[in-house]
Amino acid sequence: GRPARRPAPAKSRSGAGHCYRLLGCIRTKDYGIRGGDARAARLARGNGCLDVLEASAPYAEFELGTHSSAPCTLDDGTLLSRVEGELPWLLKVLSIRNCTPCGAHPDLQSAESLHLKDSKIYPDTNHKPKLMIALTPFEALVGFRRRAELAELLARTPELAACVRPEAQLLLHTCTDANEREAVRSVFESWMRSADVVVQTRKLVERLRGEHQASKASGPAWLKKSQRAVLQLAESHPQQMGAMLPLLLNYLLVAPGEAFYVAPCEPHAYVAGECVEVCASSNNFVRIGLSQRIDVEAAITLLSYETGGPDVEFGRLAHQGPGTHTLRYAPDVADFEARVTTVEPGGCFELESFPVPSILLVVAGSGETGVLAHGARSPPRKHRYTLVPGTALYVTEGTLHLAVSVPSGNSGPLRLVRCCENLDGVLQTVAE
């Protein structure tokens, strides 16, 4: 697709050096974690956007941004976008109990054509790259498997092979690096169009259940994990196409603090766990499975068919001081970056001034903010906030000297996430 636009960096309408408390939005979805077990719900409660936490409600997403589907507001109910303009990114905390629908977000070119095709299902013309930072052990399906793994899975799984034309399987076995994408697309398209997927999935699930109950499952560890994921999806989505997807896509188990990037046109689904997600401001999603609504033609055309899956890694150390450190997560995309700062009890951290607006979200611990002046704390009330999990602050560009401190008597550290446009791209644009 077309390369991403690099627009002029966002500027706050109110000018530099301001800070506002924000109220976000909470969403319930079938795959969310129920009640107070959901971090998304607890953060929304602490944020003030959720008045009553319902024990049976499946809370899935706590969102901060200016997208029209879930716009955040100031304390007085004024839309942030009305006061400060539109942000090109969204900050979310996700709580996943059952696997989300599987699909892909379009690139810019595909987003425009999909929007023209159906503006209700594809409501905007933006792409949606995204970054996931795990808060708990997190399971996901991301990107197609390498062709050697796909070939082995076809050989070991007759039910999958029955859904893929022999010509597609032959192309996969004989392809080179030059035509690998064509081969993977041929396998996937054949599977998506097969009339036998439902029947063969049922046969596969029955066989795998029998083998696992009898402890007869064989093969390498990655294969057994894939088979367990098939059984998990068959149980959580019994009437929907897609339980075979773990045989086609990479299965990831991500540790807290680790992150991965999902490019536009890359198939993915979140299986279970909780995470911070930062993404471009868009609501476009082409579904390929685990959903009642699947767009077969759009999915086959859209996907990039890259293989191997994403790199999973920790952020880069951006700051370290007495009792504080910051990790920076900055994928090669202009829309966003994220920084996760930890402040230990008794520590104090002065926020770096950015040339673009940013949003801070406290995800753990407690503390307070204040303004540093001549090495001491000054008392202006407008920048003094009590920080608890869920507190969100909008910080305009420019110098503010805003500091975060944690009382020495606290039992644990404060952890906050700060998101903004990718500063590498911003500084490059300013230089140009």
Side-chain angles (χ1 to χ4, degrees):
R2 199 173 64 217
R5 296 182 291 250
R6 191 181 293 279
K11 293 293 182 182
S12 303
R13 293 176 180 172
S14 61
H18 293 273
C19 180
Y20 307 101
R21 187 172 177 273
L22 292 180
L23 297 180
C25 295
I26 182 72
R27 298 175 189 261
T28 57
K29 297 188 177 182
D30 290 343
Y31 52 78
I33 295 176
R34 297 192 183 281
D37 290 338
R39 188 184 304 251
R42 298 197 303 272
L43 293 179
R45 189 79 178 89
N47 174 262
C49 68
L50 178 63
D51 293 328
V52 179
L53 198 158
E54 298 180 13
S56 61
Y59 295 103
E61 299 183 3
F62 172 53
E63 181 173 324
L64 293 159
T66 57
H67 194 277
S68 58
S69 64
C72 61
T73 64
L74 306 184
D75 269 342
D76 62 2
T78 304
L79 289 174
L80 175 63
S81 58
R82 182 174 298 176
V83 177
E84 295 294 335
E86 300 291 336
L87 295 173
W89 45 267
L90 300 170
L91 168 59
K92 302 181 181 183
V93 172
L94 308 182
S95 296
I96 310 299
R97 175 176 56 94
N98 290 325
C99 190
T100 65
C102 186
H105 302 290
D107 58 15
L108 287 168
Q109 184 174 358
S110 300
E112 290 177 357
S113 61
L114 288 169
H115 181 69
L116 287 173
K117 171 187 170 183
D118 192 332
S119 60
K120 290 185 179 180
I121 296 178
Y122 307 108
D124 57 70
T125 60
N126 200 16
H127 66 171
K128 195 174 181 180
K130 58 188 186 181
L131 171 73
M132 194 289 303
I133 306 171
L135 295 172
T136 67
F138 195 83
E139 300 170 72
L141 300 171
V142 187
F144 285 102
R145 293 183 176 275
R146 299 184 190 279
R147 67 176 186 262
E149 289 183 11
L150 287 173
E152 183 170 351
L153 280 162
L154 283 166
R156 287 178 173 267
T157 316
E159 299 88 352
L160 175 62
C163 300
V164 178
R165 292 181 294 107
E167 299 90 339
Q169 296 186 48
L170 179 61
L171 181 58
L172 182 72
H173 284 284
T174 59
C175 72
T176 64
D177 291 346
N179 65 335
E180 180 182 70
R181 290 191 192 182
E182 177 189 353
V184 174
R185 172 172 176 157
S186 181
V187 169
F188 177 73
E189 180 174 0
S190 181
W191 179 79
M192 284 287 287
R193 296 190 188 282
S194 173
D196 297 326
V197 169
V198 174
V199 172
Q200 292 299 330
T201 298
R202 189 180 303 119
K203 290 181 178 180
L204 173 62
V205 170
E206 290 175 357
R207 177 172 67 83
L208 293 180
R209 281 176 179 162
E211 290 179 358
H212 281 265
Q213 290 171 358
S215 300
K216 292 182 179 180
S218 60
W222 64 265
L223 176 63
K224 294 178 182 178
K225 289 179 181 178
S226 303
Q227 293 173 338
R228 284 196 295 270
V230 168
L231 294 177
Q232 183 177 346
L233 296 190
E235 183 174 348
S236 63
H237 298 74
Q239 304 301 323
Q240 297 172 0
M241 174 179 171
M244 278 191 184
L245 283 167
L247 305 180
L248 299 173
L249 306 181
N250 298 288
Y251 171 81
L252 304 182
L253 179 57
V254 185
E258 291 184 328
F260 61 83
Y261 170 70
V262 180
C265 307
E266 188 167 29
H268 63 282
Y270 296 154
V271 178
E274 297 186 292
C275 71
V276 170
E277 182 186 84
V278 190
C279 58
S281 185
S282 171
N283 205 26
N284 291 325
F285 188 58
V286 178
R287 297 167 184 251
I288 66 176
L290 304 174
S291 172
Q292 297 289 354
R293 189 183 75 240
I294 297 174
D295 194 335
V296 175
E297 300 304 325
I300 291 170
T301 303
L302 175 72
L303 300 184
S304 64
Y305 301 101
E306 294 275 1
T307 62
D311 294 328
V312 177
E313 53 195 6
F314 282 97
R316 179 183 60 83
L317 185 64
H319 160 83
Q320 189 166 22
T324 71
H325 69 271
T326 298
L327 297 178
R328 181 179 182 232
Y329 301 82
D332 187 19
V333 61
D335 303 74
F336 56 79
E337 67 169 67
R339 300 187 183 210
V340 179
T341 296
T342 301
V343 185
E344 299 290 342
C348 183
F349 172 71
E350 182 175 2
L351 294 170
E352 182 181 351
S353 296
F354 287 169
V356 290
S358 60
I359 289 180
L360 277 67
L361 172 65
V362 178
V363 294
S366 61
E368 63 176 357
T369 63
V371 177
L372 295 181
H374 307 295
R377 188 180 298 265
S378 62
R381 291 178 59 85
K382 66 177 181 179
H383 293 323
R384 291 183 68 88
Y385 298 97
T386 298
L387 302 179
V388 297
T391 300
L393 302 177
Y394 176 86
V395 181
T396 63
E397 72 277 3
T399 302
L400 190 61
H401 299 300
L402 189 68
V404 174
S405 61
V406 177
S408 58
N410 280 22
S411 59
L414 178 141
R415 186 164 290 112
L416 60 86
V417 179
R418 186 181 187 185
C419 295
C420 66
E421 293 175 66
N422 190 316
L423 294 185
D424 294 337
V426 169
L427 297 175
Q428 178 183 336
T429 303
V430 171
E432 293 172 352

